[in-house]
Amino acid sequence: MAADAAETTAAGGDGGETWADVSPEAARRLLLAAVDAFAERGFHATTTRDIAGRAGMSPAALYIHFRTKEELLYQISRVGHERSVRILTEASRTSEDPAQRLAAAVRTFVRWHAERHTTARVVQYELNALSPEHHEQIVELRRRTGAVMRGILEDGVAAGRFAVPDVSGTALALLSLCIDVARWFNPDGPRSPEQIGDLYADLALRMVGAH
């Protein structure tokens, strides 16, 4: 039961879909429990005993799969950022039209951060707790995310579809808007992930002066 509860909460609504490729099952349960704990208490206030307890396991069992609490955070960050790069890249390839590509990318990215808000909060806001080596690896994944967004904007400017004097700054602003949804999204709130995605896609097109 503890593992089931952790999976439901930690997945932020995705039923553990983000972690489906993680094996063995015990490692996946620990990751789900860690997401739950880090999102609720923060990395530094969470203990390995707390994580193991949420997973329905003994503290000693955690070290069979992860050397440290920081390694757990790194694995969460890596999987989450790799998923972010993949969904943003796939969305950016849905059309030849830069405006449609931008709308699709923003809509999809926002929906992911809303639907997986618990996971996304940990992925996006606990970076400073990573070791220098792990931090650099995650930063590189974030650079790839930024490169995808800049590519869409550059294509739109080159095609005469966007009026963007500062491509890098605009890409950063758009990604920041998408990511911040994870911080405030409430599944009991007045807007669904789909509605927020549509709203932000429209805002993105207005920001770049799409025509």
Side-chain angles (χ1 to χ4, degrees), residues 12-207:
D14 71 354
E17 176 187 329
T18 301
W19 317 104
D21 295 335
V22 176
S23 61
E25 173 65 19
R28 189 169 81 96
R29 286 167 55 191
L30 287 165
L31 280 175
L32 288 163
V35 170
D36 189 22
F38 294 157
E40 179 182 322
R41 307 183 62 183
F43 175 82
H44 294 293
T46 298
T47 66
T48 54
R49 182 176 295 276
D50 182 24
I51 295 169
R54 290 170 186 255
M57 302 165 68
S58 69
L62 185 149
Y63 295 105
I64 296 175
H65 304 282
F66 302 98
R67 291 174 297 177
T68 64
K69 183 176 70 169
E70 188 273 341
E71 186 180 347
L72 262 170
L73 177 62
Y74 165 65
Q75 294 298 337
I76 291 166
S77 297
R78 180 187 60 78
V79 171
H81 279 88
E82 287 176 348
R83 175 62 65 90
S84 293
V85 172
R86 183 163 66 253
I87 63 174
L88 194 61
T89 300
E90 291 173 352
S92 73
R93 295 171 176 169
T94 56
S95 172
E96 294 296 326
D97 177 37
Q100 293 185 20
R101 290 168 58 202
L102 177 61
V106 169
R107 184 181 296 112
T108 302
F109 207 46
V110 165
R111 285 184 57 181
W112 189 84
H113 281 82
E115 292 170 348
R116 281 70 166 170
H117 55 95
T118 306
T119 295
R121 282 201 305 273
V122 177
V123 168
Q124 300 292 357
Y125 295 111
E126 293 286 352
L127 294 180
N128 290 336
L130 292 169
S131 69
E133 178 184 359
H134 287 159
H135 186 273
E136 180 55 35
Q137 293 178 38
I138 299 304
V139 167
E140 178 56 33
L141 288 171
R142 292 172 79 91
R143 292 192 187 105
R144 290 169 55 188
T145 300
V148 174
M149 185 62 74
R150 287 194 303 274
I152 298 172
L153 298 182
E154 288 167 353
D155 289 347
V157 171
R161 298 280 276 126
F162 299 163
V164 182
D166 183 348
V167 168
S168 294
T170 303
L172 179 61
L174 288 170
L175 290 172
S176 297
L177 283 172
C178 296
I179 289 169
D180 197 53
V181 170
R183 182 182 58 80
W184 59 260
F185 178 75
N186 181 353
D188 297 322
R191 295 181 189 269
S192 68
E194 292 79 8
Q195 291 172 323
I196 298 171
D198 289 341
L199 172 63
Y200 276 48
D202 180 66
L203 291 173
L205 293 175
R206 292 172 184 272
M207 285 177 63

Side-chain angles (χ1 to χ4, degrees), residues 5-16:
E7 179 167 338
T8 300
T9 305
D14 71 354

